[in-house]
Amino acid sequence: MLYYYEIEGRHPLEGKLAVLAAKNVVLPMMAASLLSDTGVTALNNVPDIADIRTMIKVIERLGAIVEFDSENGRLSIDAKSITSQEAPYDLVRKMRASFLVMGPLLARFGLACVSQPGGCAIGARPVDQHLKGLAKLGAKIGEEHGYTVARTKRLHGGEIYFDRPSHTGTENVMMAAVLADGTTTIFNAAQDPEVADFAKFLNKMGANISGAGTSNIVINGVNSLDSVEHTPIGDRLEAGTYLLAALSTGGKIEVDGISPDNLTSTIFKLEEMGAKVHRGDNFIGITASGRVRPVEIITDPFPGFPTDLQPQIMAVLSQADGTSVIWERIFENRFIHVMELQRLGANITILGDRATIVGVEKLEGAEIMASDIRGGAGLVLAALAAKGNSIIQRVYHIDRGYQRLEEKLSGLGAKIVRKSR
Ligand code: EPU
């Protein structure tokens, strides 16, 4: 079924909502469940989104028994009897994060065969840093018929320096290193809160990891790991999307289930844009006040401004009272939403990795098309603010990362309906 959104703009969002567990930590935790040959891994608050469904298929294909109670967000994985070490092209091409099974398969079985992920809409996204790290731990890596094949008799500890801090690269190497002989140190590791929560989860399983959440992570290998239950941290990207949606429509909302420490750079920018932000241990509230002020944004690895909120903040800045500049420093092609924002009347010019956004007083509704998860969310935010009606095609991109976005936004007073052709 092909879905589209019909949106009537200019209804300010108001109310309260809660985020679910972060997709970008549930995915590596699902992969890490493969490390244990005892018990059942249980994850709570898991969103029912397409990327989680794809990862379920990947690990089922390897032999895991998975139960997903999507109503209650409870995911159980029994990985005692894994029967295959191969993640095939038809699944990996749908979601690059499938590459996360490389590390655990190699650690547990000494063999992993994963389809090369190929390009993706937001950029080339190589996996060279993952492979460099695994090779340092003693894996022999080759390319065979479009697959990356890694083999080892036994992994050993090693020192790894990432040329750039890779989020899933850090997690892949952590999963290989937890069962290796000796100590591994990752220098210039990704410092994202999801990586820190991931280490917490692995340590619950019996791993010995310190430093996660900083740029140097130390992992002392252990002989075996148990399956555990865990409630992953809330999704800061989902939270950031709602906060920006409130600002886009001149509204006032509170998002629960999120630590403000995980969105510091975003909160600073919201305040610079003129919003009032209040926060507690586990919530962030925002109140818009008048037309937003222009700002400069540079996307950077955590704790820098997240590339995954760049399209959404661009949608808001397209209505600012002045000219904003965004430098996209993570992905070379993450401005694909700009052409669609222009169809709504935004005034944006791109030069290399820099977008210059001259704020307009009003966006106008139009028919537009999503091309990736976050770009699609950005278009929704723009359409919520635009005068008149918009249609957003290819909602399946948005469904990869947001559980029924339209229901949550409708709960806050947005006029948004999912329809099918
Ligand atoms: N890179 C390399 N070589 C590598 C790995 C990465 O050159 O081996 C480059 C990438 O091309 C990119 C930069 O390093 O320019 C950072 O990429 P990273 O590896 O951190 O990205 P990722 O792990 O593939 C995760 C998230 C993405 C998010 C990025 C950046 C997951 C499952 N995905 O991807 O999330 O955009 O980090 O923060 O954690 C999304 O949720 O919509 C999404 C795309």
Side-chain angles (χ1 to χ4, degrees):
M1 191 89 79
L2 272 185
Y3 294 108
Y4 62 95
Y5 281 148
E6 214 170 76
I7 298 177
E8 182 188 293
R10 297 192 89 72
H11 298 279
L13 301 190
E14 273 186 31
K16 236 178 156 180
L17 80 172
V19 292
L20 295 165
K23 152 180 101 73
N24 289 347
V25 73
V26 175
L27 291 171
M29 287 173 183
M30 292 173 73
S33 69
L34 302 172
L35 286 165
S36 172
D37 60 5
T38 58
V40 174
T41 299
L43 298 172
N44 300 316
N45 211 22
V46 173
D48 186 8
I49 53 179
D51 276 12
I52 299 294
R53 297 272 174 187
T54 303
M55 194 58 139
I56 290 175
K57 286 199 186 120
V58 172
I59 61 174
E60 278 180 343
R61 200 73 77 85
L62 302 173
I65 299 162
V66 184
E67 275 177 39
F68 186 25
D69 172 0
S70 57
E71 283 301 305
N72 296 305
R74 174 114 173 150
L75 182 67
S76 311
I77 303 165
D78 177 343
K80 284 193 258 325
S81 56
I82 294 300
T83 47
S84 160
Q85 285 79 38
E86 182 180 312
Y89 178 63
D90 64 310
L91 293 173
V92 182
R93 79 183 164 82
K94 284 194 185 150
M95 188 187 64
R96 298 175 47 83
S98 313
F99 208 74
L100 281 165
V101 299
M102 190 90 192
L105 286 176
L106 186 64
R108 181 165 157 197
F109 301 101
L111 172 67
C113 183
V114 182
S115 170
Q116 290 158 7
C120 109
I122 59 177
R125 303 182 75 183
V127 287
D128 57 306
Q129 301 300 307
H130 301 229
L131 301 181
K132 181 173 91 172
L134 297 176
K136 278 276 187 139
L137 303 184
K140 298 271 170 293
I141 295 170
E143 307 296 337
E144 297 173 17
H145 310 288
Y147 281 73
T148 300
V149 182
R151 294 184 174 86
T152 184
K153 283 215 169 66
R154 178 93 193 143
L155 292 174
H156 54 72
E159 296 204 325
I160 294 151
Y161 168 73
F162 279 135
D163 296 324
R164 353 185 11 167
S166 164
H167 189 151
T168 50
T170 301
E171 291 158 346
N172 231 340
V173 171
M174 283 165 81
M175 287 186 276
V178 283
L179 289 179
D181 287 332
T183 301
T184 298
T185 307
I186 308 175
F187 297 96
N188 200 23
Q191 301 179 53
D192 301 70
E194 292 79 16
V195 173
D197 193 41
F198 185 51
K200 205 167 151 189
F201 169 78
L202 290 171
N203 282 345
K204 253 193 207 175
M205 291 174 77
N208 181 348
I209 303 170
S210 56
T214 74
S215 59
N216 291 352
I217 300 179
V218 180
I219 303 145
N220 292 306
V222 297
N223 287 330
S224 64
L225 294 166
D226 293 326
S227 297
V228 295
E229 175 173 351
H230 190 70
T231 303
I233 55 168
D235 194 325
R236 65 190 157 112
L237 305 171
E238 193 192 1
T241 301
Y242 299 133
L243 293 170
L244 285 160
L247 193 53
S248 194
T249 58
K252 179 184 172 172
I253 67 163
E254 184 180 298
V255 183
D256 291 340
I258 181 74
S259 162
D261 293 346
N262 298 344
L263 268 177
T264 306
S265 57
T266 307
I267 292 174
F268 270 101
K269 288 295 157 187
L270 293 170
E271 287 176 335
E272 274 180 43
M273 288 159 80
K276 290 196 179 59
V277 179
H278 62 284
R279 65 201 94 165
D281 282 349
N282 204 31
F283 76 86
I284 307 174
I286 187 169
T287 307
S289 72
R291 203 166 159 198
V292 301
R293 293 201 287 268
V295 292
E296 288 194 1
I297 304 271
I298 302 175
T299 66
D300 245 344
F302 190 88
F305 189 88
T307 175
D308 290 325
L309 290 175
Q310 179 261 106
Q312 300 90 317
I313 203 159
M314 183 186 279
V316 182
L317 291 174
S318 67
Q319 314 152 59
D321 189 10
T323 301
S324 305
V325 179
I326 299 182
W327 280 269
E328 171 54 56
R329 292 275 169 79
I330 306 293
F331 293 117
E332 73 273 18
N333 198 24
R334 211 172 204 180
F335 283 141
I336 13 179
H337 48 279
V338 167
M339 299 269 278
E340 304 300 301
L341 288 175
Q342 286 166 340
R343 288 177 53 74
L344 298 175
N347 181 350
I348 304 170
T349 45
I350 306 288
L351 191 65
D353 63 356
R354 191 184 70 195
T356 305
I357 305 129
V358 181
V360 297
E361 212 156 314
K362 241 185 246 123
L363 297 173
E364 306 241 333
E367 182 161 348
I368 48 180
M369 194 169 76
S371 49
D372 67 284
I373 306 176
R374 311 298 170 187
L379 298 183
V380 170
L381 268 51
L384 289 174
K387 184 164 170 272
N389 293 337
S390 297
I391 303 273
I392 302 186
Q393 302 285 2
R394 303 198 180 171
V395 167
Y396 60 86
H397 287 293
I398 300 170
D399 288 338
R400 286 188 52 190
Y402 296 90
Q403 178 177 310
R404 296 186 280 278
L405 183 63
E406 72 282 6
E407 282 179 18
K408 287 201 166 164
L409 291 172
S410 301
L412 299 171
K415 299 276 177 262
I416 171 169
V417 222
R418 175 184 292 257
K419 294 195 164 170
S420 60
R421 283 197 201 288

